[in-house]
Amino acid sequence: GNPAPVVESTGTGGGFKAFCGGIGPDFADVTGASRAIKESEVKLCADNGVTDITEALIGYDGLSIAHASSAPDMDLTEEQIFKALAAELPDGKGGFVANPNKKWSDIDASLPSVDIVAFGPPPTSGTRDAFVELVMHDGCKDLPGMADLKKADEDKWNEVCSRMRQDGPFVEAGENDNLIVQRLESDPNAVGIFGYSFLYENSDKLKAVKVAGVAPDFDTIADASYPVSRPIFFYIKNAHRDVIPNMNDFLAEYVSDGALAADGYLPERGLTPLSDEKRAEVQKAVTEAKKLGS
C-alpha cells in the first residue's frame, strides 16, 4: 500500500553525483555502485552536507565464459577475448580496421584452429554492460595506441573498446540463458557469456573457459583473482532514514538473509554471495547505521 521506490539507472559515477547532491526530497536516498566510493566523492558529499553515510558491500558480480563439458579446455587473456569479439582493432598506424580474426588461431597460434563463435547478451542487458566494462575495456587498453587515444579522445576510446562485432562471430542470444546452453551443447567449439551463477547451476553440462589462467568460482570471484569480477555496493544517506517512509524496512529487506544468503533471491539472480561472517558484518553496519570511516 505504499509507493514503490523510484529507481534510476545512472552508472556508478552518476549515482554518486545524484546521491552527493544534498539532503532532502530532491536527492537520492540510496545509491548502488560497482566500486567503492572515491575520496573525491566523499568530499563532494561533505561539501553538500551529506556527512553521515553507511557503506554496504552486498556481494560480487562475476561473469563467466563457458563452453560444453565435451569441449577442449581453453585459457584466454582479456586481450585475446577483445581481439576475438571487438568490431574494430587498431591498425598500428593510428587508425582502425574491421576485425579480421575468424578463428581463435588467427589471434594466437597456440589457440584452437576453430571458428570464433560466442553467444552473448544483447545491449539491453546488464550482463552485457558488465562484460564490456570488465573484459572488453581491459582487453583493449594495452593495445598499440590505445593509451594515447584515451588521453586525446576518451569518447572515441570508449566507442572502439566497447563495440562488439556484428559480422557473425559474436551472436546476440537474447536474455534466455537456457537457450545458450542448448547451443553450446550442440556446438562444442562455441562459447557463451553469462553470470557465474548460471554456469554453476549448469556445471553438469558446461565448464568454464579460464581467463588469465584462473577459472571462476565463488572464491576466485570474491577475492578478485578471477579477472572478470567486481564488488557490488550500495550506500545509504542516514539523514533520510527516519524521514523517508519505509526506508528502514527497505534497507532491512535488502540485507536480509532471504536476499543475500547463498540461497537468497539475489544470488539466484547472479550475485556472488558474501561469506556468512561478512554478511553478518554488513547486516550489523546497515541496521545500526554505521558511519563510513568510523
Side-chain angles (χ1 to χ4, degrees), residues 35-46:
R35 56 165 172 78
I37 192 169
K38 297 176 180 176
E39 282 301 318
S40 60
E41 291 160 339
V42 173
K43 183 179 184 304
L44 175 64
C45 272

Side-chain angles (χ1 to χ4, degrees), residues 63 120-132 174-175 177 193-195:
L63 299 183
T124 51
S125 164
T127 303
R128 170 77 162 262
D129 292 341
F131 182 79
V132 166
E175 301 279 12
D177 289 338
I193 299 161
F194 28 64

Side-chain angles (χ1 to χ4, degrees), residues 14-270:
F16 280 125
K17 281 184 184 175
F19 180 80
C20 292
I23 303 288
D26 294 333
F27 303 101
D29 310 310
V30 176
T31 188
S34 58
R35 56 165 172 78
I37 192 169
K38 297 176 180 176
E39 282 301 318
S40 60
E41 291 160 339
V42 173
K43 183 179 184 304
L44 175 64
C45 272
D47 290 346
N48 290 314
V50 182
T51 56
D52 188 359
I53 300 165
T54 294
E55 177 183 81
L57 169 66
I58 60 167
Y60 304 89
D61 180 16
L63 299 183
S64 59
I65 302 169
H67 50 177
S69 299
S70 60
D73 291 345
M74 280 186 85
D75 186 345
L76 300 170
T77 66
E78 290 172 306
E79 184 173 306
Q80 288 169 339
I81 297 166
F82 180 82
K83 287 179 176 178
L85 303 182
E88 293 182 307
L89 300 177
D91 63 4
K93 306 170 188 172
F96 298 91
V97 294
N99 191 338
N101 297 318
K102 302 298 183 189
K103 296 178 181 291
W104 289 103
S105 55
D106 294 339
I107 298 165
D108 189 305
S110 67
L111 296 176
S113 182
V114 298
D115 290 344
I116 299 166
V117 180
F119 295 102
T124 51
S125 164
T127 303
R128 170 77 162 262
D129 292 341
F131 182 79
V132 166
E133 180 185 333
L134 296 175
V135 179
M136 300 296 283
H137 286 185
D138 280 359
C140 176
K141 66 183 181 184
D142 294 328
L143 292 176
M146 295 311 294
D148 291 338
L149 177 62
K150 189 169 188 179
K151 289 176 188 170
D153 187 346
E154 189 161 354
D155 287 344
K156 177 65 175 175
W157 183 94
N158 195 62
E159 177 194 337
V160 171
C161 292
S162 301
R163 199 150 54 88
M164 310 292 283
R165 64 194 301 179
Q166 296 181 307
D167 59 340
F170 179 73
V171 182
E172 288 179 7
E175 301 279 12
N176 187 341
D177 289 338
N178 288 304
L179 191 59
I180 297 181
V181 174
Q182 292 172 20
R183 290 177 170 180
L184 298 183
E185 286 188 292
S186 66
D187 182 359
N189 292 326
V191 299
I193 299 161
F194 28 64
Y196 170 69
S197 64
F198 194 78
L199 169 60
Y200 179 76
E201 290 164 11
N202 288 278
S203 55
D204 57 328
K205 302 170 186 170
L206 304 177
K207 64 181 178 181
V209 172
K210 289 182 179 179
V211 179
V214 182
D217 61 35
F218 288 122
D219 293 331
T220 59
I221 290 169
D223 69 14
S225 58
Y226 176 65
V228 195
S229 62
R230 60 182 179 176
I232 300 294
F233 294 89
F234 71 91
Y235 289 81
I236 304 157
K237 190 174 294 175
N238 290 323
H240 285 199
R241 277 183 186 252
D242 297 321
V243 181
I244 302 299
N246 308 112
M247 182 169 164
N248 284 319
D249 293 337
F250 173 78
L251 295 171
E253 174 62 33
Y254 206 151
V255 297
S256 67
D257 285 351
L260 293 186
D263 58 353
Y265 54 78
L266 293 181
E268 281 178 8
R269 285 157 178 79

